Amino acid sequence: MSDRIDFNDEDSNRSANPTFDSVLTSRLNRRGLLLGGVGSAVLTACGGGSGGGVAFPIIPPAPAPAPAPAPGPAPGPTEKLLGFGAVPKSLADSVLIPAGYSASVLYALGDPLTGATPAYANDGTDTGFENRGGDHHDGMEWFGLGADGKRSDSSIDRGLLAVNHEATTDETLSSFFLHANGGTTTLPRPAAEVDKETAVHGIAVLEVRKDGAGKWSYVKDSAFNRRVTPLTEIDIAGPAKGDALMKTKYSPTGVKTRGTLNNCGTGKTPWGTFLTGEENWFGYFTRAAGDDAARSNDKSVTSLKRYGRAAGATSRHGWETGGADDKYQRWNISKTGASVDGTDDYRNEMNGMGFVVEFDPYNKSKLGVKRTALGRYAHESIAFSKPVAGQKVACYMGDDARNEYFYKFVSDAVWSEADANPSDPLATGAKYLDQGTLYVARFDADGAGTWQELSLSNPAVAGFAGYSFANQADVVVNARLAADAAGATKMDRPEWCATNPANGEVYLTLTNNSNRRIEPASSSQLVPDPANPRVYTDFKGTTAQSGNPNGHILRMADAGGNPASTSFRWDVYAFGAESGANADTVNLSKLTADQDFSSPDGLVFSRSTGICWIQTDDGAYTDVTNCMMLAALPGQVGDGAKKTLTYQRADSTQYTVDTMIGKQPTADTLKRFLVGPSGCELTGLCETPDGKAIFVNIQHPGESTKQADLADPSKYTSQWPSNAGYGAGKRPRSATIVITKDDGGRVGS
Ligand code: FEO
Ligand code: CA
Ligand code: CA
């Protein structure tokens, strides 16, 4: 993590809804004794990345061959999951994977997605990103294609990857790797730079194939290839469709908007469509200093503040300064028009971002659809309960910002097996995702929890003093405010969630939280609670990092195995920590050097092997190791025990919190599988249905490179993937890699 403004760590929850121990909090003094400070010895004990891992050979892309027939033999009886040798922590600028595995780069920033698009020069001269790979690859899903070019859920050698392109690497305003001279770092931004930067955001759909020799490549001229950018027209559906909150100059009836933005985690519906979560979209909009008064301090001001846009907020890239054209002006959400309803300006434009958006990956003529019933917040992934005929369908979603919440949506419709492969997938999406009930989680003591309904049927929402909700459109657009009202538990940055196919339990990564304190010094700081129980200081070199710097992974089981249930049990599957940290206060899961991780983010269960893949997006342990991916074979909620953590306050009184810790992982149930190149995060994972190929995203290698060093590649903090033989130029690029096992076995064995 650099000292730049972190647009990925928003902090706008000043709600007064109860923390676990608000009474105690109010009596706390200024400073507390820190428990479990980590010794520095461990920080020097780590090697630089050879050991059991291998830096993989990179094979440059080639024209797509004909699809290969004949899948390999089924896994033999001798297969041992997690049988690979653990990869050591590493600071090397390469991808490390276990011996016996191979990986290659498949699809990187700028790669052509049409036959007519030239190869990527990677020197800032490239244009036409509407037909090229986007930047900052993130969540990703696999959609099988049969030989007939139609959906096939059994295909293992041909498919579509639907990929999120979350953001772009910047220092001050400019995405400098995209521009020959680094671009402008002052306002106004030139239109040509803005156009390029806008177009690297959004999503991509691309066809991939495996040839007869087992080599994967993407199909440059596939008719399925598609880019959706922040300027592509999108439909609005669900409660907010046509509501007054959605009316803009672009869509005076409030039924459409343009684009999807800061696409982070993903989901795949039980009916075969792609879902993408819009995360840190608020940072792209600007709002004038005098806008509270221009809005007569109406309730929209409350909403804008709760979503990170106080009056005077500046935008991440200054796209609103690209010119008079509407496509630039829409990034200014100040009230500038004279209308009562906002149809002559973009005062409501930000209400069109922050949703889960559904796409039919097989049909690029269909617009994406914002499923507003699922709520508006900083979305990560979307995980579905296993659909059961005759039962309602649930999906689970995190809101990634400090002190934000975990949500569940339950459909009104009950599942019909006939919907698993529908003729009109987006109509099926409307059936299950436009009508239902949105809930937010409250985590209580002793592993209990309840889902609080977010609707005017909940008296706490209907009678909320902090904001007056007009209708369900207002509730979903302002889901954070409704969750404040409902008394949701403030969490340590909810990232991805995923459903364990073995038992239906839902796992949730909580990446870290610098706002936890034993003795809070401001309203943004929280005391630890049962589900977010750790406060400690971790040293990165000599820099103290306080709060919960390494994060943890929760899991929960809805009561009775019924996804519509409003109560659940929970525990902590694992706490992130350095292996050398105090095992009684910090390294509570007793992670070894082959298992230790920090800031879990991406989380995906393999439907083939059942392996839980854990990916990190870390800034705390990165003096020791680059970000990584681990393989886990977890147990179930309640397989561990209760643990009491005791903290000392400055006045020598104690604060205790009970948490529930899952069974300690062993060398056979948790193991590091991959370490990425310098400055990257690992994020996004999907697989072929046989589990023999996994696709993984390497996001923002070289992120901390200084724009002033652009002319000197030796100063780039990463040169991946060019240093591994992929593509022209030295500028680092986000990319998708594919990993296979050399003996033809399943990945993770
Ligand atoms: Fe896009 Fe919270 O990670
Ligand atoms: Ca994430
Ligand atoms: Ca992230």
Side-chain angles (χ1 to χ4, degrees):
M1 199 91 47
S2 67
D3 54 3
R4 298 169 185 179
I5 296 169
D6 186 358
F7 291 95
N8 302 312
D9 186 14
E10 197 228 338
D11 176 21
S12 298
N13 193 351
R14 299 292 181 274
S15 66
N17 67 310
T19 59
F20 182 69
D21 199 338
S22 54
V23 177
L24 191 56
T25 308
S26 67
R27 292 194 281 111
L28 294 177
N29 289 321
R30 193 172 56 84
R31 292 193 65 191
L33 294 177
L34 299 165
L35 276 186
V38 175
S40 59
V42 68
L43 302 184
T44 59
C46 300
S50 48
V54 294
F56 72 73
I58 302 290
I59 306 161
T78 57
E79 181 190 63
K80 180 179 186 299
L81 293 180
L82 273 57
F84 59 87
V87 171
K89 294 183 284 288
S90 166
L91 291 170
D93 190 25
S94 59
V95 174
L96 296 179
I97 54 175
Y101 281 85
S102 296
S104 59
V105 176
L106 192 64
Y107 160 69
L109 164 67
D111 278 345
L113 290 174
T114 71
T117 305
Y120 195 54
N122 194 25
D123 59 4
T125 62
D126 302 279
T127 58
F129 281 86
E130 295 81 1
N131 294 314
R132 296 184 179 278
D135 206 353
H136 283 209
H137 302 41
D138 206 316
M140 176 169 55
E141 304 289 341
W142 162 272
F143 297 90
L145 267 180
D148 59 358
K150 296 200 162 66
R151 172 179 166 182
S152 164
D153 293 347
S154 60
S155 173
I156 58 167
D157 52 21
R158 184 185 182 198
L160 303 175
L161 294 181
V163 184
N164 278 350
H165 290 293
E166 184 181 35
T168 184
T169 299
D170 54 0
E171 183 178 15
T172 303
L173 294 173
S174 178
S175 173
F176 56 91
F177 286 127
L178 295 184
H179 308 304
N181 64 357
T184 56
T185 58
T186 54
L187 300 178
R189 304 288 318 285
E193 290 182 12
V194 174
D195 292 346
K196 228 190 234 196
E197 292 174 10
T198 312
V200 299
H201 290 70
I203 68 161
V205 177
L206 59 144
E207 182 180 345
V208 296
R209 292 190 187 196
K210 184 173 77 170
D211 68 13
K215 179 179 152 354
W216 286 90
S217 56
Y218 84 92
V219 183
K220 179 181 166 184
D221 58 355
S222 169
F224 289 100
N225 292 354
R226 176 184 193 182
R227 280 296 318 284
V228 174
T229 78
L231 294 175
T232 309
E233 186 163 78
I234 306 271
D235 280 327
I236 295 170
K241 179 179 182 179
D243 189 82
L245 293 171
M246 311 305 279
K247 291 181 178 176
T248 64
K249 190 175 171 186
Y250 179 75
S251 181
T253 54
V255 298
K256 290 188 188 297
T257 188
R258 274 169 296 188
T260 184
L261 183 58
N262 210 265
N263 303 79
C264 183
T266 52
K268 185 173 180 177
T269 64
W271 50 96
T273 60
F274 176 65
L275 298 180
T276 177
E278 298 174 339
E279 190 189 7
N280 290 310
W281 35 272
F282 56 90
Y284 296 78
F285 296 95
T286 191
R287 197 171 155 235
D291 194 47
D292 285 359
R295 291 169 182 262
S296 303
N297 278 295
D298 65 13
K299 71 176 194 176
S300 71
V301 171
T302 305
S303 167
L304 287 159
K305 284 183 181 164
R306 188 64 182 82
Y307 283 89
R309 290 294 89 178
T314 56
S315 65
R316 176 172 182 167
H317 298 292
W319 290 346
E320 73 281 359
T321 64
D325 193 296
D326 195 63
K327 69 180 178 181
Y328 309 117
Q329 292 305 309
R330 58 89 62 110
W331 301 110
N332 179 357
I333 55 171
S334 311
K335 181 183 177 192
T336 57
S339 70
V340 172
D341 62 2
T343 54
D344 58 349
D345 61 17
Y346 286 102
R347 78 188 73 157
N348 293 326
E349 182 75 347
M350 201 171 80
N351 290 339
M353 291 290 180
F355 294 106
V356 169
V357 194
E358 183 175 18
F359 290 90
D360 180 353
Y362 297 99
N363 188 345
K364 65 182 184 184
S365 72
K366 298 280 191 183
L367 296 184
V369 186
K370 302 226 174 184
R371 297 296 180 197
T372 65
L374 279 54
R376 175 170 162 269
Y377 37 94
H379 278 279
E380 293 274 332
S381 71
I382 307 95
F384 281 83
S385 60
K386 180 174 164 36
V388 176
Q391 276 192 10
K392 295 182 176 190
V393 177
C395 59
Y396 303 80
M397 301 159 288
D399 178 358
D400 179 17
R402 285 176 282 174
N403 308 342
E404 294 298 344
Y405 306 126
F406 188 52
Y407 296 81
K408 169 169 94 165
F409 176 81
V410 179
S411 64
D412 281 352
V414 298
W415 178 247
S416 165
E417 285 297 341
D419 286 331
N421 203 339
S423 57
D424 187 346
L426 293 176
T428 304
K431 175 180 174 182
Y432 292 103
L433 297 179
D434 285 349
Q435 289 97 36
T437 307
L438 185 63
Y439 298 92
V440 70
R442 196 186 76 199
F443 293 84
D444 294 325
D446 297 327
T450 56
W451 292 107
Q452 305 292 317
E453 181 170 337
L454 300 182
S455 79
L456 293 174
S457 304
N458 181 340
V461 175
F464 186 43
Y467 186 87
S468 178
F469 295 98
N471 52 25
Q472 188 62 16
D474 207 357
V475 169
V476 296
V477 168
N478 291 292
R480 282 181 172 174
L481 287 163
D484 294 344
T489 301
K490 297 177 178 180
M491 309 297 290
D492 287 348
R493 294 185 57 194
E495 295 261 9
W496 287 52
C497 52
T499 308
N500 184 346
N503 58 16
E505 293 179 354
V506 177
Y507 284 62
L508 168 67
T509 52
L510 295 159
T511 195
N512 55 60
N513 190 351
S514 57
N515 274 350
R516 291 273 167 201
R517 291 291 185 283
I518 296 304
E519 296 178 88
S522 71
S523 62
S524 64
Q525 294 185 346
L526 308 175
V527 288
D529 63 33
N532 305 275
R534 284 190 311 175
V535 167
Y536 57 101
T537 294
D538 166 57
F539 284 93
K540 181 180 181 181
T542 55
T543 304
Q545 309 174 115
S546 297
N548 173 13
N550 302 124
H552 56 291
I553 304 174
L554 275 182
R555 62 186 167 188
M556 60 183 62
D558 277 322
N562 179 1
S565 176
T566 55
S567 64
F568 59 86
R569 303 290 305 170
W570 65 268
D571 69 7
V572 178
Y573 160 62
F575 287 95
E578 301 178 15
S579 58
N582 186 314
D584 201 42
T585 56
V586 177
N587 187 14
L588 299 174
S589 299
K590 301 179 174 57
L591 304 179
T592 66
D594 288 342
Q595 300 171 323
D596 58 347
F597 66 89
S598 175
S599 302
D601 187 345
L603 188 79
V604 177
F605 274 92
S606 166
R607 299 269 151 185
S608 170
T609 59
I611 287 174
C612 178
W613 294 102
I614 301 164
Q615 301 171 316
T616 69
D617 175 11
D618 187 38
Y621 203 15
T622 43
D623 52 335
V624 172
T625 183
N626 297 338
C627 289
M628 63 181 68
M629 189 166 100
L630 304 99
L633 294 170
Q636 63 276 329
V637 172
D639 63 10
K642 186 163 162 172
K643 164 96 176 168
T644 301
L645 298 175
T646 302
Y647 297 94
Q648 301 287 337
R649 300 193 190 92
D651 66 0
S652 298
T653 59
Q654 291 187 336
Y655 173 79
T656 61
V657 58
D658 289 338
T659 190
M660 309 297 290
I661 307 183
K663 185 178 176 183
Q664 182 186 332
T666 69
D668 290 329
T669 63
L670 178 63
K671 197 179 278 186
R672 190 178 301 105
F673 180 84
L674 182 153
V675 180
S678 303
C680 80
E681 70 171 270
L682 268 293
T683 184
L685 185 149
C686 60
E687 63 184 353
T688 53
D690 59 1
K692 294 184 175 181
I694 67 170
F695 305 89
V696 173
N697 283 329
I698 306 291
Q699 185 185 107
H700 61 64
E703 184 187 33
S704 60
T705 301
K706 298 291 183 193
Q707 182 167 340
D709 293 333
L710 191 63
D712 183 357
S714 72
K715 292 182 176 167
Y716 298 174
T717 57
S718 171
Q719 293 186 3
W720 191 88
S722 75
N723 65 1
Y726 188 87
K730 302 281 190 200
R731 299 181 181 196
R733 299 160 73 186
S734 297
T736 304
I737 62 173
V738 55
I739 303 173
T740 53
K741 197 171 183 213
D742 298 343
D743 68 2
R746 298 193 294 175
V747 177
S749 60

